[in-house]
Structures are given as structure tokens and as C-alpha cells.
Amino acid sequence: MEKNPKQLKEHNIILKNREEMSLSGINEVVSFTDTQIILKTVCGGLLIRGNSLNIGLLNTDTGELSITGSVSYMKYNKSKGNGGVFEGIFK
């Protein structure tokens, strides 16, 4: 029996020189602008801020995402569950 790829997701972040970011375990891109990206990950909500942010690759089947631009800030929300992406991010 083959397992569903979404059930096997881990959440990882690789940030190169604060300009290239590769992420895994992404469930949803909630919103994005060139200065802010809000994500729903398998570990909860994630807020990324910076300048000239751009989403280069989004694979919803594997949960992989790549971001380019100048990353200056990252913060997870307090809860690790699926709900409340905005809860705790902006406090």
C-alpha cells in the first residue's frame, strides 16, 4: 500500500545568505506580498517578512516552496495545530 505524500511531510527551512529560501511541509500560502508571506505549515502558521520577496516554486503535492528576496524576519505562531494561522503571529 502506497502512503499519501501529504502524510509524510516534515517541515524544513534552508536559508542561503538571507536571499534564497527552500521550505518543505507547506500546506498553504495564506497570503503574500513583496514584503510579507504568511504560510500554513505542518507545524503551524509561519510569517516571513523582508523586501522584494517572490515565490519561485510552489508544489502543493510535495509541500515544497522556494522564496527569493531579502529575508529579514521569520516567526511561527504559538500553536502547532492546523487552526489559527493569524492567532499569535501579529502579537
Side-chain angles (χ1 to χ4, degrees), residues 13-22 67 69-72 74:
I13 296 176
I14 298 171
L15 180 60
K16 297 178 187 175
N17 299 320
R18 293 178 60 181
E19 295 179 351
E20 296 178 26
M21 181 182 282
S22 299
I67 297 171
S70 177
V71 176
S72 59
M74 293 188 301

Side-chain angles (χ1 to χ4, degrees), residues 58-77:
L58 172 61
N59 186 327
T60 55
D61 291 331
T62 63
E64 295 176 342
L65 174 72
S66 69
I67 297 171
T68 58
S70 177
V71 176
S72 59
Y73 179 87
M74 293 188 301
K75 182 178 180 183
Y76 287 92
N77 69 345

Side-chain angles (χ1 to χ4, degrees), residues 46-57:
L46 174 61
L47 171 67
I48 301 168
R49 289 187 179 151
N51 295 307
S52 303
L53 298 177
N54 186 38
I55 293 178
L57 166 78

